[in-house]
């Protein structure tokens, strides 16, 4: 499993995710969801700024705990693009971007 960071160059906000696949595969999944009209803050910004609007980084293993990465890098909305982080249950209720 990898934990990755997508840092938006325009807003200087971050999204942290995890995947058991390669980052390029996960990125394709994000793009697919975004193009299908996802209302998640991350997907909306991904559509707005494109893949090239982000720096994509595979983070080092932080105890395989993505919640620690989210807290350490302060990527929760309003400081970042993360809406929820406990257990990676994503439910987007508003547009903080």
């Amino acid at each position: 499993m990898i934990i990755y960071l997508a840092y938006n160059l325009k807003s200087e906000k971050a999204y942290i995710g995890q995947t058991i696949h390669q980052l390029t595969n996960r990125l394709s999944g994000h793009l697919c969801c975004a193009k299908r009209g996802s209302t998640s803050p991350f997907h909306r910004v991904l559509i707005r700024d494109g893949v090239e609007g982000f720096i994509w980084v595979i983070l080092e293993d932080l105890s395989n705990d993505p919640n620690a990465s989210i807290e350490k890098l302060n990527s929760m909305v309003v400081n970042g693009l993360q809406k929820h982080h406990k257990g990676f249950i994503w439910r987007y209720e508003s547009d903080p971007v």
Side-chain angles (χ1 to χ4, degrees):
M1 174 180 17
I2 63 168
I3 298 172
Y4 61 93
L5 165 76
Y7 180 79
N8 185 262
L9 296 167
K10 184 176 180 181
S11 68
E12 299 183 344
K13 293 183 178 182
Y15 174 88
I16 297 171
Q18 70 178 5
T19 183
I20 59 171
H21 303 289
Q22 293 183 357
L23 182 56
T24 54
N25 292 350
R26 185 63 191 110
L27 175 55
S28 294
H30 280 303
L31 286 171
C32 186
C33 288
K35 289 177 182 178
R36 289 184 181 162
S38 170
T39 60
S40 80
F42 176 60
H43 291 155
R44 292 177 61 132
V45 174
L46 187 58
I47 287 293
R48 182 189 73 194
D49 298 343
V51 174
E52 62 279 354
F54 288 83
I55 296 173
W56 299 85
V57 179
I58 295 176
L59 300 174
E60 292 191 43
D61 182 0
L62 298 172
S63 303
N64 288 326
D65 183 4
N67 295 328
S69 301
I70 291 166
E71 291 169 13
K72 180 178 180 180
L73 296 171
N74 197 22
S75 69
M76 289 297 294
V77 171
V78 176
N79 297 317
L81 297 173
Q82 220 79 41
K83 183 70 177 176
H84 296 283
H85 66 86
K86 296 203 183 225
F88 276 116
I89 298 171
W90 307 116
R91 291 189 181 103
Y92 300 97
E93 298 148 3
S94 62
D95 184 5
V97 182

